[in-house]
Amino acid sequence: RKYGRENAEAIAEFYGSWVENYERAAFIDTGAGDSARCRECACAMADEFGWKYERLEGSLELLEKLLVGETEDEGEVTIVPPGYVTYYDPVESAISARPATEAGLQEDGDEEREKTFSFAGKDSSLRAEGKGLGIDAGGTYTDAVIYDFKDGKVLADSKSLTTKWDFCRGIKGALDELPAGSLEDIKLTAVSTTLATNAIVEGHGQKVGLLVMPPPGIYELSEFGHQPAAAVKGKISIDGREIEPVDEKGALEAARRMMEEADVRAFAVSGYGAAANPGHELAIKKLIEKQTGCDVTCGHELSEMLNFKTRARTAVLNARIIPRLRSFLNAVREVLADIGVSAPLMVVKGDGTLVSEATAHKFPVETILSGPAASVAGARHLTDFEDATVIDVGGTTSDIAVLKDGRVAVSEEGTHVGRWQTHVRAVDMRTVGVGGDSSIARRDGALEVGPSRAVPLSWTAANSTGLSGAIEYLEGNSDEFSASTTGAAILFRTERENMEECDEVERRILDILAERPHSLHELARRAGLHHWTLLPLDRLENSFLIARCGLTPTDLLHARGEFTRWDVETARRGAEWFSQLCRIGVEEMTDRVFEIAFRRLAGQVLLKHLEGSIEGPEQQIEDCQVCLALMDRWMGDGDGLSLNVELEAPLVGLGAPAKYFLPPVSRLLGTEFEMPDCAHVANAVGAITSRIVITESVRILPNVKGEFVVEGIPGAPLFPDMESAQEHAEDAVQELVKRKGRENGAAGGTVHIHTNDRLSSTSEGAELFLERTVTATLTSLPGGVGSGGKD
């Protein structure tokens, strides 16, 4: 009466609504107890609610297993130890138990400790001494510097054109340009190179066989996108538990079959769960290397991250290019020996740190983006800026990267190289096809700058003969290029010898170009072809037997008198011919070309700083008409609206063309421009001033029995409490970074051990412990230049 009939009926309806969700009353007959009474209860419920009655055959097996303790590996029972709470694990798609943070985890997370040590009895307080030789074998130029470690300054520098068919020729050319006597008493040589990146993009390397150990029923071999491939028995769970022993005999048989049938010369091995327990991968690697002598790369050696397939592909790429980098480094060693330099040789990794020559031999994929990483490291060293936007303006491209808190921004998820997604940590950069040697063209009445590259006319004229004849042909046939200048590109012979497998037309092309350079249009006529697009040039260009030259920003700088290193008169002649096609004066044409370059660079810097702030594909900004309209207003186009952009950190320019390209870019971006001394050889400076940095991590996770497993080391050992697991984890990662430090020639130094806990929350708000990561980082000078701090 007090609350009324309507409320009472609503409450009754609510509490009775559960009935609507069922259609069956089922009696599960386990054979225990009074079966007849239970069956009658189920039938009565079915009659009362209008449900279907059904009898199901049951079993007491699960309860029996629970009572006698036989459920450890079945996954049928979740054990919740004292102080633990239940938690849905999305990885295992199951209910699991995790300790609440108040359950007695005595070690605090998020803390860091230092442990100092030294090698070979040296004092751990290290300082750099002596002279170093830095080399950057870039896509256009090879740079070299002599660096004084004690005084921290560049003593000498040089540049030479890179010879892509033989990088060592370019290196030798740069070293020959250094002052006499400057290469005496070198303590260390460090080199950065584009070779690994180019090898992957161009598909070069040896034949690799892939051996995988996938979980049951999840991955098909076709998903890895590689042949030959074979699945090997042996399974490890995602948390490192061995489910099935590895079939070493089967792995060896598969490897030998690949060698015989597919001419495989190297192997990649990747197992599901190897990031937690690499024992299976290491066992296969040891056996195949011993029995076949082939190179073997394990997925866990290159990445601690999850994603089994990406680890496998990264291992394949690494194994494929091992001979390329090994041959390169051996050749570099020969060049150095010829000039009397016998110092240790180090290589720059994609994250801007150094590894030994021996480590680079084994893991060449880690050197992808080595050159850009060296340039950012050079910017950091030459400016001492903690925060900056760094643009390395090269011949073909400009690389844009960010310095934050004194560190190079690195892609932690792994970088893309060509069509490949890898797990390689490398400098996080944005590349735009604008540089000093960008090809200047005219198509459909519009000016184009890049992204393709051309050797400058001024350089070609200064270093070869006969270019005047090619330009004279263009001047006499200008009408042929009024719509497009693509056919006006000029080809010339390089110093490389002919290929033996050239066909008749290719041979004819080489013979014509041996006389003097020719434009595509003229070459096609002389070769008896109806149009220049029919010229078979791919193999000749990819083999570096011929190269293209044409009008570039470098030539326009020559024509203006701002940069006059090579043939000024030829540059002016080319600029005048091109401006006549455009029906404007040389000065106006030059201004338009640089305006295009400035705007593209400034726009890409803006997009670089917007990365991560907008959800969805990064291309959406460049494809958004509103965004493009706003960028036009920012750059001064349009009426009624103006926008300003102000970068908070300065713009640092590197590379010889930077001082011509970047001051206007910095003004558009509302920031200061800084071009440090030796910016033209910053890559080589970054190579020789980089340090060895070794970082290794393991994870500590609770299991369903209240124990703690240490993942990331062979065996994934178990411990009864967090304290013993923490102690073992710290010892393991410290010894691992020390071992890798020795392998990479570290002089010694300080190991920083950092502990970080990952927490979650239950629906009731209690904090939940998920895992602890223990990371050890060693930072050291190379052994050749590190000496004790005590005199």
Side-chain angles (χ1 to χ4, degrees), residues 610-657:
L610 289 175
E611 284 178 358
S613 62
I614 298 178
E615 296 182 1
E618 64 177 47
Q619 290 82 6
Q620 68 177 344
I621 300 177
E622 295 161 291
D623 296 337
C624 171
Q625 295 302 312
V626 174
C627 297
L628 295 175
L630 288 174
M631 291 180 72
D632 285 340
R633 298 303 189 274
W634 161 46
M635 293 182 179
D637 294 341
D639 297 326
L641 176 65
S642 64
L643 299 174
N644 291 320
V645 172
E646 293 186 6
L647 293 188
E648 296 177 350
L651 185 68
V652 176
L654 305 177

Side-chain angles (χ1 to χ4, degrees), residues 362-441:
K362 292 190 291 185
F363 305 119
V365 75
E366 293 189 337
T367 69
I368 58 178
L369 302 183
S370 168
S375 73
V376 182
R380 179 186 56 199
H381 178 81
L382 292 170
T383 63
D384 287 329
F385 286 156
E386 291 291 306
D387 301 307
T389 302
V390 180
I391 306 183
D392 184 359
V393 185
T396 309
T397 62
S398 293
D399 298 325
I400 305 167
V402 175
L403 271 176
K404 187 69 174 176
D405 298 325
R407 304 185 67 179
V408 179
V410 170
S411 175
E412 297 291 348
E413 295 78 19
T415 189
H416 276 88
V417 181
R419 62 187 179 91
W420 301 97
Q421 169 65 49
T422 76
H423 269 182
V424 178
R425 294 178 74 254
V427 59
D428 185 6
M429 69 175 191
R430 194 176 185 93
T431 298
V432 54
V434 174
D437 297 346
S438 291
S439 175
I440 300 172

Side-chain angles (χ1 to χ4, degrees), residues 219-494:
Y219 295 102
E220 299 293 335
L221 285 177
S222 59
E223 294 182 55
F224 293 89
H226 180 81
Q227 288 293 333
V232 177
K233 291 182 179 179
K235 292 178 176 56
I236 290 177
S237 69
I238 196 168
D239 62 357
R241 292 177 291 109
E242 184 178 68
I243 300 173
E244 178 185 43
V246 63
D247 181 8
E248 295 184 24
K249 180 180 178 181
L252 182 59
E253 289 175 352
R256 284 177 168 159
R257 185 166 57 252
M258 290 178 184
M259 294 175 69
E260 294 172 1
E261 298 176 0
D263 197 29
V264 162
R265 290 294 174 263
F267 293 93
V269 180
S270 186
Y272 184 83
N277 180 1
H280 285 182
E281 287 187 358
L282 291 172
I284 292 177
K285 174 176 180 172
K286 182 178 179 181
L287 179 65
I288 292 179
E289 285 185 338
K290 180 179 179 180
Q291 295 296 324
T292 70
C294 293
D295 295 311
V296 180
T297 300
C298 294
H300 81 274
E301 294 175 310
L302 298 165
S303 172
E304 300 170 352
M305 292 186 284
L306 300 178
N307 196 320
F308 168 47
K309 289 195 291 185
T310 303
R311 282 203 312 274
R313 292 171 184 146
T314 306
V316 167
L317 293 178
N318 186 81
R320 195 176 86 194
I321 64 174
I322 284 175
R324 299 273 293 186
L325 194 67
R326 181 178 292 160
S327 176
F328 168 75
L329 292 176
N330 289 340
V332 171
R333 175 66 68 192
E334 291 180 9
V335 170
L336 295 173
D338 289 343
I339 59 176
V341 175
S342 58
L345 177 62
M346 307 290 288
V347 183
V348 180
K349 291 171 56 179
D351 62 0
T353 64
L354 293 177
V355 293
S356 67
E357 180 182 1
T359 299
H361 279 179
K362 292 190 291 185
F363 305 119
V365 75
E366 293 189 337
T367 69
I368 58 178
L369 302 183
S370 168
S375 73
V376 182
R380 179 186 56 199
H381 178 81
L382 292 170
T383 63
D384 287 329
F385 286 156
E386 291 291 306
D387 301 307
T389 302
V390 180
I391 306 183
D392 184 359
V393 185
T396 309
T397 62
S398 293
D399 298 325
I400 305 167
V402 175
L403 271 176
K404 187 69 174 176
D405 298 325
R407 304 185 67 179
V408 179
V410 170
S411 175
E412 297 291 348
E413 295 78 19
T415 189
H416 276 88
V417 181
R419 62 187 179 91
W420 301 97
Q421 169 65 49
T422 76
H423 269 182
V424 178
R425 294 178 74 254
V427 59
D428 185 6
M429 69 175 191
R430 194 176 185 93
T431 298
V432 54
V434 174
D437 297 346
S438 291
S439 175
I440 300 172
R442 186 171 180 268
R443 292 183 182 87
D444 299 324
L447 270 176
E448 293 184 2
V449 183
S452 60
R453 173 184 180 266
V455 179
L457 296 172
S458 51
W459 183 93
T460 308
N463 289 274
S464 63
T465 59
L467 182 60
S468 178
I471 297 176
E472 184 176 338
Y473 177 87
L474 296 178
E475 292 169 335
N477 293 271
S478 294
D479 291 345
E480 299 286 348
F481 311 106
S482 58
S484 171
T485 59
T486 307
I490 296 173
L491 299 178
F492 66 95
R493 283 294 311 271
T494 68

